Amino acid sequence: TSLLVSLQPATEKMQSVTVWQDTLDVFLVNEEANIWFSEYLGTNCQLVQMTDDIIRSVDQDYGQPRDEVSFADGFPLLLIGEASLDDLNQRLENPVSMRRFRPNVVVSDGAAYAEDNWHRLRIGEVEFEGVKACSRCIFTTIDPDTGVKDPDKEPLRTLGTYRRRDGKGVYFGQNLIPRNQGKIRMGDSVEILS
């Protein structure tokens, strides 16, 4: 069965949710959506929505005071180059798909890990700031198709052999914050500004 969800802002009762350390009061979309997702996923869940007046700021160590993120991990977008994944997969016994890393933007040309040094870039109509390399967690070890965790903790274990920084984490990808409004489309060129 299918479910149609209105694009109009939800107005039903508020629900408190936590995304990492941020607790937000958001709106329940509707009971029909809750039932549909609960049955489809086989677990009790609720579909919630942030309206424009609900603010969740990015980490201010990396962003500007007015930079916001919704339910995403910590920043609005994540970019990874295909060459970076290709390099990783050459090191793995069992290659993984890009889906393991959940990027919003995938760049098809360029050198492996070139995105580490992209501080300002333009894709289509939008200029972005590359604010922070993305610290990777245990979720990268879970196959998105099966939900099964890799017993060898791959690809995180291999990434840790050559992508660990300052003893603080393993990095793969670049977090982006848009600096203007506009559209980006599949096939748009990427212009590195700095």
Side-chain angles (χ1 to χ4, degrees):
T1 66
S2 61
L3 171 71
L4 294 175
V5 177
S6 172
L7 295 178
Q8 298 301 314
T11 58
E12 292 197 21
K13 67 179 184 173
M14 300 285 282
Q15 173 72 35
S16 183
V17 299
T18 301
V19 181
W20 295 113
Q21 295 84 16
D22 300 320
T23 300
L24 310 164
D25 288 327
V26 297
F27 289 96
L28 291 169
V29 171
N30 63 47
E31 190 59 29
E32 178 186 8
N34 297 343
I35 293 168
W36 190 92
F37 278 106
S38 296
E39 289 176 357
Y40 184 81
L41 297 172
T43 188
N44 188 28
C45 57
Q46 298 174 317
L47 181 62
V48 296
Q49 179 187 39
M50 288 178 73
T51 53
D52 290 341
D53 59 329
I54 299 171
I55 306 298
R56 179 175 171 237
S57 296
V58 302
D59 184 335
Q60 291 301 292
D61 288 342
Y62 302 98
Q64 297 175 8
R66 298 186 69 188
D67 290 339
E68 299 175 13
V69 63
S70 59
F71 291 121
D73 192 19
F75 295 90
L77 294 168
L78 171 64
L79 177 145
I80 298 177
E82 283 183 346
S84 303
L85 180 65
D86 292 344
D87 180 80
L88 168 61
N89 278 332
Q90 289 175 8
R91 300 166 191 258
L92 294 172
E93 185 176 324
N94 298 306
V96 296
S97 75
M98 190 65 84
R99 292 180 60 223
R100 286 282 181 113
F101 301 99
R102 304 171 314 280
N104 308 93
V105 178
V106 177
V107 177
S108 62
D109 292 330
Y113 312 107
E115 62 269 23
D116 290 352
N117 299 308
W118 294 350
H119 302 292
R120 290 195 85 74
L121 59 145
R122 182 176 296 115
I123 305 171
E125 301 171 355
V126 183
E127 188 172 317
F128 294 94
E129 185 175 357
V131 293
K132 179 185 176 295
C134 185
S135 178
R136 305 321 304 229
C137 68
I138 201 73
F139 285 121
T140 61
T141 67
I142 298 171
D143 184 317
D145 295 318
T146 65
V148 175
K149 184 177 176 181
D150 186 280
D152 297 321
K153 298 182 181 167
E154 291 293 5
L156 196 58
R157 185 178 60 80
T158 296
L159 280 169
T161 65
Y162 71 105
R163 297 288 296 169
R164 186 171 300 281
R165 293 188 191 165
D166 306 324
K168 295 182 181 179
V170 175
Y171 295 86
F172 191 76
Q174 179 70 264
N175 289 297
L176 302 178
I177 297 176
R179 291 299 173 212
N180 65 293
Q181 292 188 358
K183 293 181 181 179
I184 64 173
R185 295 173 179 85
M186 188 177 299
D188 279 347
S189 62
V190 177
E191 180 185 359
I192 308 307
L193 304 174
S194 71

